[in-house]
Amino acid sequence: MSCREGTPVVDLLYCLPDARARVEPLSSWFRIVEAPSPPEEAVGFYLWADAEHLELRRAGERRGAFVTVEELARRSAQGGDLVRACGVAAGRRTAVLDVMAGWGVDALVLAGLGR
């Protein structure tokens, strides 16, 4: 996890070697690190991918909130609509808080788009 302008950003995606091909389309948004298991040295939040889904995990916890890679890719492809709905103007940094009671997929898409 890193910080951009004081805001925590999830930028690492750890994955099983078998899951690498499934998460490769996300490599423009996240640094992908192959690992045999979720990292024990992680701090804050990170992404973990296995053969079935992608999880947002908090360091030290065994499970996280998850979404399938296919769903995230589908939503990312439609990210322009989400960015416009949030009122994000081109070339201007805007803070967006996802407070809905879902899995945070829209927040992941916005984070991946650098918003």
Side-chain angles (χ1 to χ4, degrees):
M1 188 160 101
S2 65
C3 289
R4 288 188 201 143
E5 299 175 17
T7 303
V9 176
V10 175
D11 60 355
L12 284 174
L13 189 162
Y14 295 92
C15 70
L16 289 173
D18 294 348
R20 178 68 187 233
R22 296 189 70 184
V23 298
E24 193 64 37
L26 304 174
S27 65
S28 63
W29 299 312
F30 304 101
R31 289 183 294 146
I32 298 174
V33 178
E34 288 185 23
S37 62
E40 292 182 19
E41 74 282 354
V43 176
F45 290 91
Y46 64 93
L47 293 171
W48 169 253
D50 60 22
E52 297 179 17
H53 59 267
L54 178 67
E55 291 184 17
L56 176 63
R57 288 188 175 186
R58 183 181 314 198
E61 293 186 4
R62 295 181 61 183
R63 297 291 294 175
F66 72 89
V67 63
T68 63
V69 174
E70 291 78 15
E71 176 67 10
L72 186 58
R74 183 184 70 76
R75 295 241 192 136
S76 293
Q78 299 169 346
D81 293 336
L82 178 60
V83 169
R84 282 190 297 281
C86 291
V88 177
R92 196 180 91 191
R93 297 262 324 149
T94 304
V96 177
L97 177 62
D98 182 358
V99 296
M100 300 307 292
W103 291 104
V105 176
D106 290 338
L108 280 172
V109 169
L110 288 169
L113 294 172
R115 304 291 192 236

